[in-house]
Amino acid sequence: MDIKRLHVAYFSPTGTTERTLRLVAEGFGCAETVWHDWGDPETRALPLDCGADEALIVGMPVYYGRIPSLFHAGLPVRGRRTPFVAVAVYGNRHYDDALLELKTLGEQAGCVTTGAGAFVAQHSLNPDMGRGRPDASDAAAMRGFGKALRAKLDGVSGEVPPLDVPGNAPYRAYQPTPFAPALLDAESCLHCGLCARVCPVRIIDPETFLVSAPERCLFCFGCVRACPVSVRGPRPEAAEAFAAKMAGLAARCTVRRDPETFL
Ligand SMILES: Cc1cc2nc3c(=O)[nH]c(=O)nc-3n(C[C@H](O)[C@H](O)[C@H](O)COP(=O)(O)O)c2cc1C
Ligand code: SF4
Ligand code: SF4
């Protein structure tokens, strides 16, 4: 199968999913690769049209064993039997149903799944989990996955055979969070605007840097990790409960998890 163009779409508030996909795409090695940042509401608003002679890799972080809620209703994709690759990036707990959910949504959008991968990165809520990941061995696995995908597609003539991935439907229940981050110290704020620019749902006021609609917060921690002076985080009244929850999670997830790929 001759792939004319590779589309890579990602949602990556703290950057590790994007980093993973850059390594996978490097391994795939397509001369024409087009990147789509679904953290930008304007990009999400335009359905991505892909043909049968193109391939599409979609990467999402795992949130509560699912893909982020912004995409539960569907991907902004119009495929035409387009070979599709689902990539889930998670913080060394587990990816649970996220890979199955992403694969199913890709197929509902008109694509045909040809590969899937689950990779570990530092946990965006708790840096003690998956600290330093992806490391050199993860990076080699990501590049190797891209290379193997390309070899698989090069060897296919006609229809891509169906692919099974782990996961269960109905998917895990999604947990709304009581820990939405806020601006904690307005006096130390540099007014750099990074938090407002990174917020995937644009609920941070670009002048005051206060959160205007906390009920829409995804709890992605993009604003927290982007802030150069660390003045964003869960409100003081929730901070202790949040820290206890994160410490409990880290204590239950001490075993290193390795990349898993499906081709
Ligand atoms: C709200 C939320 C829920 C998460 N749930 C999980 C989870 O169920 N399992 C897991 O291993 N990691 C979980 N993580 C960690 C992220 O999947 C992981 O850090 C990922 O690398 C973040 O991707 P990004 O850097 O592209 O934003 C969660 C992170 C957030 C913010
Ligand atoms: S306000 Fe919420 S949705 Fe926006 S970047 Fe911060 S954590 Fe993410
Ligand atoms: S990222 Fe931090 S310093 Fe920059 S505007 Fe936002 S709160 Fe202020």
mmCIF file of all heavy atoms in Angstrom, residues 62-67 89-98 118-126 128-131 133 172-173 175 245-246 248-258 260:
data_model
loop_
_atom_site.group_PDB
_atom_site.id
_atom_site.type_symbol
_atom_site.label_atom_id
_atom_site.label_comp_id
_atom_site.label_asym_id
_atom_site.label_seq_id
_atom_site.Cartn_x
_atom_site.Cartn_y
_atom_site.Cartn_z
ATOM 1 N N VAL A 62 -4.189 9.130 28.553
ATOM 2 C CA VAL A 62 -5.225 8.366 29.257
ATOM 3 C C VAL A 62 -5.677 9.171 30.470
ATOM 4 O O VAL A 62 -4.843 9.601 31.273
ATOM 5 C CB VAL A 62 -4.664 6.995 29.697
ATOM 6 C CG1 VAL A 62 -5.687 6.228 30.526
ATOM 7 C CG2 VAL A 62 -4.226 6.194 28.470
ATOM 8 N N TYR A 63 -6.985 9.399 30.577
ATOM 9 C CA TYR A 63 -7.563 10.044 31.754
ATOM 10 C C TYR A 63 -8.561 9.064 32.363
ATOM 11 O O TYR A 63 -9.557 8.706 31.722
ATOM 12 C CB TYR A 63 -8.306 11.334 31.369
ATOM 13 C CG TYR A 63 -7.435 12.521 30.956
ATOM 14 C CD1 TYR A 63 -8.040 13.718 30.559
ATOM 15 C CD2 TYR A 63 -6.040 12.482 30.969
ATOM 16 C CE1 TYR A 63 -7.279 14.823 30.183
ATOM 17 C CE2 TYR A 63 -5.283 13.580 30.595
ATOM 18 C CZ TYR A 63 -5.901 14.748 30.198
ATOM 19 O OH TYR A 63 -5.154 15.845 29.818
ATOM 20 N N TYR A 64 -8.299 8.629 33.593
ATOM 21 C CA TYR A 64 -9.204 7.690 34.303
ATOM 22 C C TYR A 64 -9.484 6.434 33.469
ATOM 23 O O TYR A 64 -10.626 5.960 33.405
ATOM 24 C CB TYR A 64 -10.533 8.370 34.655
ATOM 25 C CG TYR A 64 -10.394 9.763 35.213
ATOM 26 C CD1 TYR A 64 -10.910 10.860 34.521
ATOM 27 C CD2 TYR A 64 -9.731 9.994 36.411
ATOM 28 C CE1 TYR A 64 -10.777 12.140 35.010
ATOM 29 C CE2 TYR A 64 -9.594 11.268 36.911
ATOM 30 C CZ TYR A 64 -10.116 12.341 36.206
ATOM 31 O OH TYR A 64 -9.977 13.625 36.697
ATOM 32 N N GLY A 65 -8.459 5.935 32.784
ATOM 33 C CA GLY A 65 -8.633 4.711 31.997
ATOM 34 C C GLY A 65 -9.405 4.899 30.706
ATOM 35 O O GLY A 65 -9.777 3.913 30.059
ATOM 36 N N ARG A 66 -9.655 6.133 30.309
ATOM 37 C CA ARG A 66 -10.401 6.447 29.077
ATOM 38 C C ARG A 66 -9.600 7.456 28.267
ATOM 39 O O ARG A 66 -8.564 7.943 28.697
ATOM 40 C CB ARG A 66 -11.755 7.128 29.448
ATOM 41 C CG ARG A 66 -12.665 6.340 30.364
ATOM 42 C CD ARG A 66 -13.579 5.424 29.602
ATOM 43 N NE ARG A 66 -14.354 6.063 28.562
ATOM 44 C CZ ARG A 66 -15.584 6.579 28.721
ATOM 45 N NH1 ARG A 66 -16.169 6.519 29.887
ATOM 46 N NH2 ARG A 66 -16.229 7.109 27.689
ATOM 47 N N ILE A 67 -10.116 7.847 27.108
ATOM 48 C CA ILE A 67 -9.549 9.016 26.449
ATOM 49 C C ILE A 67 -10.213 10.255 27.059
ATOM 50 O O ILE A 67 -11.274 10.148 27.693
ATOM 51 C CB ILE A 67 -9.711 8.954 24.906
ATOM 52 C CG1 ILE A 67 -11.175 9.014 24.481
ATOM 53 C CG2 ILE A 67 -9.044 7.698 24.348
ATOM 54 C CD1 ILE A 67 -11.346 9.300 22.987
ATOM 55 N N VAL A 89 -1.150 7.309 25.702
ATOM 56 C CA VAL A 89 0.036 7.607 26.533
ATOM 57 C C VAL A 89 -0.451 7.756 27.973
ATOM 58 O O VAL A 89 -1.409 8.497 28.233
ATOM 59 C CB VAL A 89 0.735 8.890 26.032
ATOM 60 C CG1 VAL A 89 1.950 9.206 26.892
ATOM 61 C CG2 VAL A 89 1.153 8.719 24.570
ATOM 62 N N TYR A 90 0.170 7.046 28.900
ATOM 63 C CA TYR A 90 -0.361 7.018 30.266
ATOM 64 C C TYR A 90 0.764 7.076 31.302
ATOM 65 O O TYR A 90 1.929 6.836 30.988
ATOM 66 C CB TYR A 90 -1.249 5.783 30.473
ATOM 67 C CG TYR A 90 -0.533 4.454 30.437
ATOM 68 C CD1 TYR A 90 -0.277 3.748 31.614
ATOM 69 C CD2 TYR A 90 -0.113 3.894 29.238
ATOM 70 C CE1 TYR A 90 0.377 2.528 31.596
ATOM 71 C CE2 TYR A 90 0.546 2.666 29.209
ATOM 72 C CZ TYR A 90 0.787 1.990 30.388
ATOM 73 O OH TYR A 90 1.439 0.790 30.368
ATOM 74 N N GLY A 91 0.362 7.393 32.532
ATOM 75 C CA GLY A 91 1.331 7.697 33.588
ATOM 76 C C GLY A 91 1.709 6.535 34.476
ATOM 77 O O GLY A 91 1.819 6.684 35.695
ATOM 78 N N ASN A 92 1.918 5.361 33.884
ATOM 79 C CA ASN A 92 2.421 4.169 34.582
ATOM 80 C C ASN A 92 1.421 3.545 35.568
ATOM 81 O O ASN A 92 1.798 2.707 36.369
ATOM 82 C CB ASN A 92 3.748 4.449 35.289
ATOM 83 C CG ASN A 92 4.540 3.159 35.526
ATOM 84 O OD1 ASN A 92 4.810 2.415 34.590
ATOM 85 N ND2 ASN A 92 4.882 2.871 36.769
ATOM 86 N N ARG A 93 0.140 3.964 35.520
ATOM 87 C CA ARG A 93 -0.869 3.171 36.248
ATOM 88 C C ARG A 93 -1.366 2.117 35.249
ATOM 89 O O ARG A 93 -0.874 1.016 35.212
ATOM 90 C CB ARG A 93 -2.025 4.053 36.775
ATOM 91 C CG ARG A 93 -2.996 3.253 37.665
ATOM 92 C CD ARG A 93 -4.273 3.996 37.975
ATOM 93 N NE ARG A 93 -5.115 4.264 36.827
ATOM 94 C CZ ARG A 93 -5.866 3.366 36.175
ATOM 95 N NH1 ARG A 93 -5.886 2.110 36.577
ATOM 96 N NH2 ARG A 93 -6.606 3.698 35.138
ATOM 97 N N HIS A 94 -2.301 2.503 34.351
ATOM 98 C CA HIS A 94 -2.742 1.603 33.268
ATOM 99 C C HIS A 94 -3.525 2.413 32.245
ATOM 100 O O HIS A 94 -3.979 3.524 32.552
ATOM 101 C CB HIS A 94 -3.602 0.457 33.806
ATOM 102 C CG HIS A 94 -3.522 -0.752 32.914
ATOM 103 N ND1 HIS A 94 -4.254 -0.864 31.750
ATOM 104 C CD2 HIS A 94 -2.770 -1.877 32.994
ATOM 105 C CE1 HIS A 94 -3.953 -2.010 31.151
ATOM 106 N NE2 HIS A 94 -3.047 -2.642 31.886
ATOM 107 N N TYR A 95 -3.673 1.818 31.053
ATOM 108 C CA TYR A 95 -4.471 2.510 30.026
ATOM 109 C C TYR A 95 -5.892 1.950 29.944
ATOM 110 O O TYR A 95 -6.748 2.506 29.251
ATOM 111 C CB TYR A 95 -3.788 2.450 28.654
ATOM 112 C CG TYR A 95 -3.494 1.059 28.132
ATOM 113 C CD1 TYR A 95 -4.399 0.391 27.327
ATOM 114 C CD2 TYR A 95 -2.290 0.413 28.454
ATOM 115 C CE1 TYR A 95 -4.131 -0.881 26.846
ATOM 116 C CE2 TYR A 95 -2.014 -0.866 27.979
ATOM 117 C CZ TYR A 95 -2.939 -1.503 27.183
ATOM 118 O OH TYR A 95 -2.666 -2.767 26.707
ATOM 119 N N ASP A 96 -6.166 0.865 30.648
ATOM 120 C CA ASP A 96 -7.524 0.303 30.765
ATOM 121 C C ASP A 96 -8.253 0.240 29.415
ATOM 122 O O ASP A 96 -7.842 -0.497 28.534
ATOM 123 C CB ASP A 96 -8.332 1.084 31.812
ATOM 124 C CG ASP A 96 -7.683 1.022 33.177
ATOM 125 O OD1 ASP A 96 -7.361 -0.082 33.635
ATOM 126 O OD2 ASP A 96 -7.465 2.082 33.781
ATOM 127 N N ASP A 97 -9.303 1.070 29.247
ATOM 128 C CA ASP A 97 -10.153 0.979 28.041
ATOM 129 C C ASP A 97 -9.814 2.040 26.993
ATOM 130 O O ASP A 97 -10.499 2.136 25.962
ATOM 131 C CB ASP A 97 -11.632 1.142 28.442
ATOM 132 C CG ASP A 97 -12.040 0.129 29.495
ATOM 133 O OD1 ASP A 97 -11.474 -0.987 29.497
ATOM 134 O OD2 ASP A 97 -12.899 0.449 30.331
ATOM 135 N N ALA A 98 -8.755 2.842 27.244
ATOM 136 C CA ALA A 98 -8.499 4.006 26.374
ATOM 137 C C ALA A 98 -8.151 3.600 24.936
ATOM 138 O O ALA A 98 -8.603 4.235 23.982
ATOM 139 C CB ALA A 98 -7.373 4.854 26.967
ATOM 140 N N ALA A 118 0.406 1.485 23.339
ATOM 141 C CA ALA A 118 0.243 2.145 24.639
ATOM 142 C C ALA A 118 1.643 2.380 25.194
ATOM 143 O O ALA A 118 2.437 1.428 25.309
ATOM 144 C CB ALA A 118 -0.571 1.271 25.570
ATOM 145 N N PHE A 119 1.949 3.632 25.505
ATOM 146 C CA PHE A 119 3.301 4.007 25.941
ATOM 147 C C PHE A 119 3.213 4.769 27.257
ATOM 148 O O PHE A 119 2.237 5.479 27.517
ATOM 149 C CB PHE A 119 3.961 4.890 24.872
ATOM 150 C CG PHE A 119 4.163 4.183 23.549
ATOM 151 C CD1 PHE A 119 3.254 4.338 22.510
ATOM 152 C CD2 PHE A 119 5.249 3.339 23.359
ATOM 153 C CE1 PHE A 119 3.428 3.674 21.298
ATOM 154 C CE2 PHE A 119 5.438 2.669 22.151
ATOM 155 C CZ PHE A 119 4.527 2.845 21.115
ATOM 156 N N VAL A 120 4.287 4.679 28.030
ATOM 157 C CA VAL A 120 4.310 5.312 29.357
ATOM 158 C C VAL A 120 5.053 6.642 29.307
ATOM 159 O O VAL A 120 6.061 6.778 28.605
ATOM 160 C CB VAL A 120 4.970 4.372 30.388
ATOM 161 C CG1 VAL A 120 5.084 5.044 31.751
ATOM 162 C CG2 VAL A 120 4.169 3.076 30.509
ATOM 163 N N ALA A 121 4.537 7.623 30.049
ATOM 164 C CA ALA A 121 5.211 8.912 30.214
ATOM 165 C C ALA A 121 5.044 9.345 31.674
ATOM 166 O O ALA A 121 4.238 8.772 32.407
ATOM 167 C CB ALA A 121 4.598 9.959 29.289
ATOM 168 N N GLN A 122 5.782 10.355 32.051
ATOM 169 C CA GLN A 122 5.643 10.894 33.411
ATOM 170 C C GLN A 122 4.195 11.330 33.628
ATOM 171 O O GLN A 122 3.601 11.954 32.748
ATOM 172 C CB GLN A 122 6.593 12.086 33.562
ATOM 173 C CG GLN A 122 6.627 12.641 34.962
ATOM 174 C CD GLN A 122 7.923 13.420 35.207
ATOM 175 O OE1 GLN A 122 9.005 12.979 34.877
ATOM 176 N NE2 GLN A 122 7.786 14.583 35.788
ATOM 177 N N HIS A 123 3.649 10.979 34.786
ATOM 178 C CA HIS A 123 2.239 11.290 35.077
ATOM 179 C C HIS A 123 2.067 12.799 35.221
ATOM 180 O O HIS A 123 2.765 13.433 36.010
ATOM 181 C CB HIS A 123 1.825 10.572 36.362
ATOM 182 C CG HIS A 123 0.357 10.378 36.510
ATOM 183 N ND1 HIS A 123 -0.521 11.432 36.598
ATOM 184 C CD2 HIS A 123 -0.408 9.249 36.556
ATOM 185 C CE1 HIS A 123 -1.753 10.960 36.734
ATOM 186 N NE2 HIS A 123 -1.717 9.639 36.696
ATOM 187 N N SER A 124 1.122 13.366 34.477
ATOM 188 C CA SER A 124 0.984 14.825 34.491
ATOM 189 C C SER A 124 0.461 15.335 35.830
ATOM 190 O O SER A 124 0.718 16.483 36.195
ATOM 191 C CB SER A 124 0.081 15.291 33.346
ATOM 192 O OG SER A 124 -1.014 14.432 33.179
ATOM 193 N N LEU A 125 -0.256 14.508 36.585
ATOM 194 C CA LEU A 125 -0.752 14.962 37.890
ATOM 195 C C LEU A 125 0.247 14.681 38.998
ATOM 196 O O LEU A 125 0.251 15.373 40.014
ATOM 197 C CB LEU A 125 -2.073 14.244 38.234
ATOM 198 C CG LEU A 125 -3.236 14.435 37.269
ATOM 199 C CD1 LEU A 125 -4.450 13.654 37.752
ATOM 200 C CD2 LEU A 125 -3.579 15.912 37.137
ATOM 201 N N ASN A 126 1.066 13.638 38.815
ATOM 202 C CA ASN A 126 1.987 13.233 39.869
ATOM 203 C C ASN A 126 3.335 12.840 39.259
ATOM 204 O O ASN A 126 3.511 11.692 38.833
ATOM 205 C CB ASN A 126 1.396 12.047 40.650
ATOM 206 C CG ASN A 126 2.273 11.655 41.817
ATOM 207 O OD1 ASN A 126 3.404 12.145 41.949
ATOM 208 N ND2 ASN A 126 1.780 10.779 42.667
ATOM 209 N N ASP A 128 5.942 11.850 40.392
ATOM 210 C CA ASP A 128 6.607 10.682 40.978
ATOM 211 C C ASP A 128 6.262 9.401 40.225
ATOM 212 O O ASP A 128 6.927 8.383 40.396
ATOM 213 C CB ASP A 128 6.196 10.497 42.453
ATOM 214 C CG ASP A 128 6.839 11.549 43.325
ATOM 215 O OD1 ASP A 128 7.853 12.129 42.893
ATOM 216 O OD2 ASP A 128 6.301 11.803 44.423
ATOM 217 N N MET A 129 5.220 9.449 39.418
ATOM 218 C CA MET A 129 4.840 8.255 38.644
ATOM 219 C C MET A 129 5.390 8.389 37.226
ATOM 220 O O MET A 129 5.197 9.410 36.570
ATOM 221 C CB MET A 129 3.313 8.113 38.606
ATOM 222 C CG MET A 129 2.731 7.861 39.986
ATOM 223 S SD MET A 129 0.942 7.966 39.975
ATOM 224 C CE MET A 129 0.504 6.548 38.971
ATOM 225 N N GLY A 130 6.080 7.356 36.785
ATOM 226 C CA GLY A 130 6.654 7.387 35.427
ATOM 227 C C GLY A 130 7.717 8.463 35.295
ATOM 228 O O GLY A 130 7.946 8.976 34.199
ATOM 229 N N ARG A 131 8.370 8.798 36.403
ATOM 230 C CA ARG A 131 9.384 9.870 36.361
ATOM 231 C C ARG A 131 10.464 9.557 35.321
ATOM 232 O O ARG A 131 10.925 8.427 35.213
ATOM 233 C CB ARG A 131 10.028 10.029 37.748
ATOM 234 C CG ARG A 131 10.896 11.265 37.855
ATOM 235 C CD ARG A 131 11.476 11.421 39.244
ATOM 236 N NE ARG A 131 10.526 11.959 40.218
ATOM 237 C CZ ARG A 131 10.137 13.230 40.275
ATOM 238 N NH1 ARG A 131 10.603 14.104 39.409
ATOM 239 N NH2 ARG A 131 9.282 13.626 41.195
ATOM 240 N N ARG A 133 10.144 9.229 32.169
ATOM 241 C CA ARG A 133 9.647 8.545 30.971
ATOM 242 C C ARG A 133 9.014 9.585 30.026
ATOM 243 O O ARG A 133 8.476 10.563 30.499
ATOM 244 C CB ARG A 133 8.566 7.517 31.345
ATOM 245 C CG ARG A 133 8.955 6.585 32.481
ATOM 246 C CD ARG A 133 9.812 5.420 32.092
ATOM 247 N NE ARG A 133 9.275 4.526 31.083
ATOM 248 C CZ ARG A 133 8.479 3.472 31.334
ATOM 249 N NH1 ARG A 133 8.125 3.210 32.581
ATOM 250 N NH2 ARG A 133 8.075 2.681 30.344
ATOM 251 N N ARG A 172 -14.897 2.256 31.398
ATOM 252 C CA ARG A 172 -14.891 2.699 32.802
ATOM 253 C C ARG A 172 -15.658 4.016 32.957
ATOM 254 O O ARG A 172 -15.662 4.831 32.043
ATOM 255 C CB ARG A 172 -13.448 2.965 33.244
ATOM 256 C CG ARG A 172 -12.633 1.704 33.484
ATOM 257 C CD ARG A 172 -11.179 2.039 33.521
ATOM 258 N NE ARG A 172 -10.830 2.788 34.720
ATOM 259 C CZ ARG A 172 -10.311 2.249 35.826
ATOM 260 N NH1 ARG A 172 -10.083 0.959 35.882
ATOM 261 N NH2 ARG A 172 -9.997 2.990 36.856
ATOM 262 N N ALA A 173 -16.260 4.183 34.139
ATOM 263 C CA ALA A 173 -16.969 5.442 34.407
ATOM 264 C C ALA A 173 -15.940 6.572 34.488
ATOM 265 O O ALA A 173 -14.839 6.370 35.009
ATOM 266 C CB ALA A 173 -17.725 5.336 35.710
ATOM 267 N N GLN A 175 -14.481 10.096 35.907
ATOM 268 C CA GLN A 175 -14.642 10.771 37.202
ATOM 269 C C GLN A 175 -14.499 12.279 37.075
ATOM 270 O O GLN A 175 -13.410 12.740 36.762
ATOM 271 C CB GLN A 175 -13.543 10.302 38.164
ATOM 272 C CG GLN A 175 -13.453 8.832 38.348
ATOM 273 C CD GLN A 175 -12.107 8.424 38.953
ATOM 274 O OE1 GLN A 175 -11.332 9.243 39.414
ATOM 275 N NE2 GLN A 175 -11.834 7.142 38.952
ATOM 276 N N LYS A 245 -4.397 11.833 47.692
ATOM 277 C CA LYS A 245 -4.860 10.946 46.613
ATOM 278 C C LYS A 245 -3.680 10.561 45.708
ATOM 279 O O LYS A 245 -3.521 9.413 45.319
ATOM 280 C CB LYS A 245 -5.946 11.664 45.813
ATOM 281 C CG LYS A 245 -6.681 10.741 44.904
ATOM 282 C CD LYS A 245 -7.921 11.377 44.323
ATOM 283 C CE LYS A 245 -8.432 10.394 43.274
ATOM 284 N NZ LYS A 245 -9.724 10.459 42.879
ATOM 285 N N MET A 246 -2.849 11.544 45.364
ATOM 286 C CA MET A 246 -1.705 11.290 44.487
ATOM 287 C C MET A 246 -0.686 10.370 45.161
ATOM 288 O O MET A 246 -0.121 9.481 44.524
ATOM 289 C CB MET A 246 -1.031 12.617 44.089
ATOM 290 C CG MET A 246 -1.837 13.443 43.115
ATOM 291 S SD MET A 246 -2.191 12.542 41.599
ATOM 292 C CE MET A 246 -3.916 12.262 41.717
ATOM 293 N N GLY A 248 -1.319 8.092 47.422
ATOM 294 C CA GLY A 248 -1.909 6.749 47.435
ATOM 295 C C GLY A 248 -1.765 6.084 46.078
ATOM 296 O O GLY A 248 -1.422 4.899 45.971
ATOM 297 N N LEU A 249 -2.005 6.859 45.022
ATOM 298 C CA LEU A 249 -1.906 6.324 43.659
ATOM 299 C C LEU A 249 -0.477 5.879 43.365
ATOM 300 O O LEU A 249 -0.245 4.772 42.862
ATOM 301 C CB LEU A 249 -2.343 7.430 42.682
ATOM 302 C CG LEU A 249 -2.546 7.061 41.221
ATOM 303 C CD1 LEU A 249 -3.624 5.999 41.078
ATOM 304 C CD2 LEU A 249 -2.938 8.304 40.419
ATOM 305 N N ALA A 250 0.484 6.736 43.707
ATOM 306 C CA ALA A 250 1.893 6.409 43.440
ATOM 307 C C ALA A 250 2.300 5.151 44.217
ATOM 308 O O ALA A 250 3.026 4.299 43.702
ATOM 309 C CB ALA A 250 2.785 7.589 43.815
ATOM 310 N N ALA A 251 1.797 5.010 45.439
ATOM 311 C CA ALA A 251 2.162 3.833 46.256
ATOM 312 C C ALA A 251 1.623 2.544 45.636
ATOM 313 O O ALA A 251 2.201 1.469 45.813
ATOM 314 C CB ALA A 251 1.620 4.016 47.672
ATOM 315 N N ARG A 252 0.512 2.649 44.904
ATOM 316 C CA ARG A 252 -0.074 1.440 44.284
ATOM 317 C C ARG A 252 0.532 1.128 42.909
ATOM 318 O O ARG A 252 0.224 0.088 42.333
ATOM 319 C CB ARG A 252 -1.597 1.631 44.119
ATOM 320 C CG ARG A 252 -2.384 1.628 45.420
ATOM 321 C CD ARG A 252 -3.883 1.465 45.178
ATOM 322 N NE ARG A 252 -4.454 2.519 44.353
ATOM 323 C CZ ARG A 252 -4.829 3.714 44.793
ATOM 324 N NH1 ARG A 252 -4.664 4.016 46.060
ATOM 325 N NH2 ARG A 252 -5.357 4.608 43.982
ATOM 326 N N CYS A 253 1.339 2.037 42.360
ATOM 327 C CA CYS A 253 1.825 1.867 40.972
ATOM 328 C C CYS A 253 3.340 1.962 40.916
ATOM 329 O O CYS A 253 3.883 2.808 40.197
ATOM 330 C CB CYS A 253 1.222 2.929 40.061
ATOM 331 S SG CYS A 253 -0.557 2.990 40.107
ATOM 332 N N THR A 254 4.038 1.125 41.648
ATOM 333 C CA THR A 254 5.498 1.255 41.709
ATOM 334 C C THR A 254 6.206 0.415 40.639
ATOM 335 O O THR A 254 7.376 0.634 40.361
ATOM 336 C CB THR A 254 6.012 0.821 43.096
ATOM 337 O OG1 THR A 254 5.443 -0.443 43.375
ATOM 338 C CG2 THR A 254 5.620 1.810 44.179
ATOM 339 N N VAL A 255 5.512 -0.557 40.061
ATOM 340 C CA VAL A 255 6.159 -1.437 39.073
ATOM 341 C C VAL A 255 6.212 -0.729 37.717
ATOM 342 O O VAL A 255 5.216 -0.166 37.278
ATOM 343 C CB VAL A 255 5.369 -2.762 38.952
ATOM 344 C CG1 VAL A 255 5.948 -3.648 37.844
ATOM 345 C CG2 VAL A 255 5.388 -3.494 40.283
ATOM 346 N N ARG A 256 7.392 -0.780 37.103
ATOM 347 C CA ARG A 256 7.561 -0.143 35.790
ATOM 348 C C ARG A 256 6.731 -0.881 34.740
ATOM 349 O O ARG A 256 6.823 -2.093 34.589
ATOM 350 C CB ARG A 256 9.043 -0.193 35.385
ATOM 351 C CG ARG A 256 9.319 0.379 34.005
ATOM 352 C CD ARG A 256 10.752 0.125 33.569
ATOM 353 N NE ARG A 256 10.949 0.480 32.172
ATOM 354 C CZ ARG A 256 11.477 1.634 31.748
ATOM 355 N NH1 ARG A 256 11.903 2.513 32.629
ATOM 356 N NH2 ARG A 256 11.589 1.876 30.458
ATOM 357 N N ARG A 257 5.910 -0.137 34.004
ATOM 358 C CA ARG A 257 5.157 -0.730 32.899
ATOM 359 C C ARG A 257 5.889 -0.426 31.600
ATOM 360 O O ARG A 257 6.499 0.638 31.461
ATOM 361 C CB ARG A 257 3.734 -0.182 32.864
ATOM 362 C CG ARG A 257 2.984 -0.425 34.176
ATOM 363 C CD ARG A 257 1.517 -0.136 34.036
ATOM 364 N NE ARG A 257 0.884 -1.149 33.215
ATOM 365 C CZ ARG A 257 0.330 -2.268 33.677
ATOM 366 N NH1 ARG A 257 0.326 -2.511 34.969
ATOM 367 N NH2 ARG A 257 -0.221 -3.138 32.861
ATOM 368 N N ASP A 258 5.827 -1.357 30.669
ATOM 369 C CA ASP A 258 6.573 -1.212 29.418
ATOM 370 C C ASP A 258 5.638 -0.936 28.244
ATOM 371 O O ASP A 258 4.440 -1.197 28.333
ATOM 372 C CB ASP A 258 7.399 -2.469 29.168
ATOM 373 C CG ASP A 258 8.614 -2.504 30.084
ATOM 374 O OD1 ASP A 258 9.238 -1.430 30.256
ATOM 375 O OD2 ASP A 258 8.896 -3.563 30.658
ATOM 376 N N GLU A 260 3.474 -1.312 24.961
ATOM 377 C CA GLU A 260 2.762 -2.449 24.336
ATOM 378 C C GLU A 260 2.303 -1.994 22.964
ATOM 379 O O GLU A 260 1.716 -0.915 22.828
ATOM 380 C CB GLU A 260 1.520 -2.820 25.152
ATOM 381 C CG GLU A 260 1.819 -3.458 26.488
ATOM 382 C CD GLU A 260 0.528 -3.719 27.272
ATOM 383 O OE1 GLU A 260 -0.357 -4.443 26.774
ATOM 384 O OE2 GLU A 260 0.399 -3.160 28.371
#
